[in-house]
Amino acid sequence: MSLTETSLQTSAAPLGRDDLARLVARDIAPGSFVNLGIGQPTLVSNYLTEEQNITLHTENGMLGMGPEAKGDQIDGDLINAGKIPVTELPGASYFHHADSFAIMRGGHLDICVLGAFQVSATGDLANWHTGAPGAIPAVGGAMDLATGAKDVFVMMTLLTRDGASKIVDACTYPITGVGCVTRAYTDKAVFLIGPDGVTVRETFGCTLEELQDLVPVPLKAAAVNDRMREE
């Protein structure tokens, strides 16, 4: 689908979790090595195609993870880092947790897809602790993924339950990684984050002007070539 210079809106309504996961999966380059973080990002595995030849890594020690396991496919010993039962693809391999972190820290992952509490206009990521009383800090391998992967994609709702934007000028929650996020996929828009600030590739159920009313950082429309993608 090609977009005109003046129209960023590609959906009449905000995207649901599965539609967003399908979009993220479609944007992953063929042949990539990818880690999917806990939460919404795990849904992406259900929409990767065989033709893409994507190798999924999970930090508890597996390469070659397939889609989420259902019914008779479930093996209690075969789970991802979020303890969700998963399938294995031909050629899958298993290894020690330390070796898994060596893959993450050694720059061997092309992309990681993570959830977030906040993403700053300069690509800072906050996704492990809100500081709320009683909340359990759970940074896990997120800091290793955020600094070790070549690209960090974030997948999240744009607004909190209180209606505040998760795209912010500066993170107010503890930082997971500095300047690491390159894209943020949300239910209302896809944001591209780089040295020139935050650009919007496409919107869902709102115009760029309506989106700007929600987000407290300057937004601009991506160039036409950056906004074109195949359906």
Side-chain angles (χ1 to χ4, degrees):
M1 175 189 298
S2 63
L3 306 175
T4 68
E5 278 285 342
T6 57
S7 176
L8 289 175
Q9 190 170 337
T10 61
S11 171
L15 294 192
R17 290 162 59 96
D18 286 286
D19 287 333
L20 194 60
R22 186 180 291 109
L23 176 59
V24 175
R26 188 188 306 159
D27 282 352
I28 295 175
S32 296
F33 284 76
V34 179
N35 180 286
L36 303 177
I38 295 170
Q40 283 195 51
T42 61
L43 296 173
V44 173
S45 67
N46 297 331
Y47 299 101
L48 296 170
T49 65
E50 185 177 349
E51 291 73 23
Q52 284 177 283
N53 190 31
I54 304 299
T55 301
L56 291 181
H57 165 273
T58 177
E59 69 185 64
N60 54 323
M62 181 181 180
L63 274 176
M65 183 180 74
E68 182 178 342
K70 302 288 186 181
D72 294 340
Q73 296 177 322
I74 294 177
D75 178 343
D77 293 326
L78 191 59
I79 59 175
N80 64 19
K83 299 182 175 62
I84 296 173
V86 294
T87 55
E88 59 182 357
L89 299 180
S93 60
Y94 308 93
F95 33 83
H96 192 278
H97 206 171
D99 295 320
S100 184
F101 270 72
I103 290 173
M104 294 155 57
R105 295 169 179 170
H108 304 292
L109 295 175
D110 297 301
I111 296 171
C112 68
V113 186
L114 300 174
F117 297 130
Q118 291 177 329
V119 174
S120 80
T122 56
D124 297 343
L125 171 67
N127 77 342
W128 67 278
H129 194 32
T130 64
I136 300 174
V139 69
M143 58 184 176
D144 303 276
L145 290 166
T147 57
K150 297 180 178 72
D151 270 310
V152 177
F153 293 177
V154 160
M155 185 178 171
M156 63 183 184
T157 57
L158 177 61
L159 304 178
T160 67
R161 293 177 182 176
D162 296 329
S165 174
K166 296 180 185 178
I167 301 288
V168 295
D169 183 56
C171 293
T172 57
Y173 294 146
I175 298 295
T176 307
V178 175
C180 57
V181 178
T182 53
R183 294 188 192 182
Y185 291 82
T186 78
D187 53 331
K188 295 183 181 295
V190 176
F191 300 89
L192 309 178
I193 301 173
D196 296 328
V198 181
T199 61
V200 179
R201 189 182 77 179
E202 56 189 307
T203 66
F204 315 118
C206 63
T207 65
L208 181 62
E209 291 74 18
E210 291 168 334
L211 187 68
Q212 183 66 84
D213 288 339
L214 299 173
V215 177
V217 301
L219 303 176
K220 57 186 176 182
V224 171
N225 289 342
D226 294 329
R227 287 153 46 191
M228 294 178 63
R229 59 178 176 82
E230 294 182 356
E231 288 294 318

